[in-house]
Amino acid sequence: MLFDTHCHLYDAAYDADRSAVLERARAAGVGRMLCPATDRQTSEACVELARHYDGIYAAVGIHPQEANRVQPGDIEAIRRLAEQEPSVVAIGEVGLDYHYDTPARDVQKDVFVKMIQLALSLDLPIDIHDREAHGDTMEILRQYGKGLRGVFHCYSGSLEMTTELIRMGFYFGFTGTVVFPNSKRAKQVASRIPMDRILIETDSPYLTPPPYRGSRNEPAYVRYVAEEIARLRGLDADCVIRKTAANGLRIFGIAETV
């Protein structure tokens, strides 16, 4: 069973054929999918999808690119979803993104800390987005993240950073970028970190792996991520599929049976 641990199934890119996308995922052996949110509205959308489709789970939270749009009551509404909906297995997608000039870094940091505090108070793992912000992300985790667990989505850190995060209890999600020929750092890290800390994900509809690069991504393509990690580590693809699925079940606290 494949477990796509990060796919934005609510995205408008799927409005015309969402059911068909999910059918293709099932046909490809994807038994579970985690849908992470970016704000209050998409948190509600993730939960709604999980209500209607077996094997879909939700993460709720505020993405750093939405940090300056937070309205009064949003965080409490997200808390209520996490408390009341059994499909919610993580707080995410949250973190820092310094690729753009906005939102202001202080605003992003403030929301990130609030999301960490939410995850800790609910005893849920966290799904972290860290784009060009490794230093501040690590500093915030050191200061506020004692006892926190979770995953770094679309991991792009160094081996040195990985070593510290392993000690802190984190897992590492690899997307279609690890399949890209020039993704040397991602390939190096994926080939060397402990196998029991690796997750596979698509970040659908983004980051489509070869051979579909240039088209819309979807959960069925998570198999290509598993196959590349297997190639890098000299393993059988089925072994990587089984191990990464077990890792996902463990970190998100999901029972073996759907």
Side-chain angles (χ1 to χ4, degrees):
M1 177 206 71
L2 288 152
F3 186 173
D4 183 354
T5 58
H6 198 107
C7 47
H8 297 279
L9 298 171
Y10 57 81
D11 194 276
Y14 303 119
D15 284 354
D17 64 343
R18 186 169 286 106
S19 292
V21 167
L22 294 174
E23 287 174 8
R24 284 194 292 274
R26 304 295 187 203
V30 184
R32 291 179 176 85
M33 291 162 268
L34 177 60
C35 181
T38 57
D39 57 14
R40 177 177 178 174
Q41 289 71 35
T42 55
S43 293
E44 293 167 351
C46 289
V47 167
E48 192 65 22
L49 282 166
R51 287 173 179 163
H52 285 87
Y53 295 99
D54 290 339
I56 293 179
Y57 301 87
V60 294
I62 299 169
H63 189 284
Q65 286 298 307
E66 302 296 327
N68 60 345
R69 299 186 181 96
V70 177
Q71 298 297 312
D74 283 357
I75 293 176
E76 279 309 305
I78 289 170
R79 173 186 287 276
R80 287 194 297 273
L81 282 174
E83 289 175 333
Q84 297 171 8
E85 295 290 339
S87 66
V88 176
V89 297
I91 300 300
E93 171 181 359
V94 304
L96 301 175
D97 190 325
Y98 291 172
H99 185 70
Y100 303 103
D101 293 334
T102 58
R105 295 184 179 187
D106 286 347
V107 174
Q108 292 189 42
K109 291 177 185 178
D110 179 66
V111 172
F112 185 26
V113 170
K114 286 182 169 67
M115 292 294 101
I116 290 172
Q117 292 170 337
L118 180 61
L120 287 169
S121 70
L122 295 170
D123 192 26
L124 285 173
I126 197 166
D127 191 349
I128 293 179
H129 174 109
D130 167 25
R131 188 180 188 192
E132 300 174 20
H134 298 330
D136 282 352
T137 299
M138 294 300 293
E139 186 58 35
I140 286 173
L141 290 176
R142 294 183 193 110
Q143 185 172 355
Y144 298 98
K146 184 178 180 180
L148 191 67
R149 66 190 189 280
V151 54
F152 268 67
H153 147 66
C154 194
Y155 187 62
S156 61
S158 66
L159 281 171
E160 291 76 17
M161 178 176 168
T162 307
T163 300
E164 181 174 359
L165 288 170
I166 288 172
R167 288 198 299 266
M168 296 171 74
F170 281 90
Y171 289 60
F172 308 91
F174 292 92
T175 65
T177 57
V178 78
V179 190
F180 298 172
N182 294 328
S183 295
K184 295 180 180 179
R185 175 182 280 185
K187 291 180 189 295
Q188 179 191 42
V189 173
S191 69
R192 295 179 62 179
I193 65 175
M195 191 66 220
D196 63 1
R197 295 299 183 94
I198 293 178
L199 304 179
I200 55 175
E201 51 183 50
T202 57
D203 199 21
S204 300
Y206 315 106
L207 304 180
T208 312
Y212 296 101
R213 186 72 178 145
S215 62
R216 180 192 67 179
N217 202 1
E218 56 184 73
Y221 301 160
V222 75
R223 177 173 294 273
Y224 296 101
V225 180
E227 290 174 350
E228 177 64 10
I229 291 173
R231 186 190 69 81
L232 292 168
R233 300 180 73 99
L235 298 172
D236 181 79
D238 286 342
C239 173
V240 172
I241 289 168
R242 289 192 303 271
K243 189 64 178 178
T244 55
N247 294 344
L249 297 178
R250 183 169 60 252
I251 186 59
F252 296 119
I254 298 172
E256 288 286 343
T257 56
V258 176

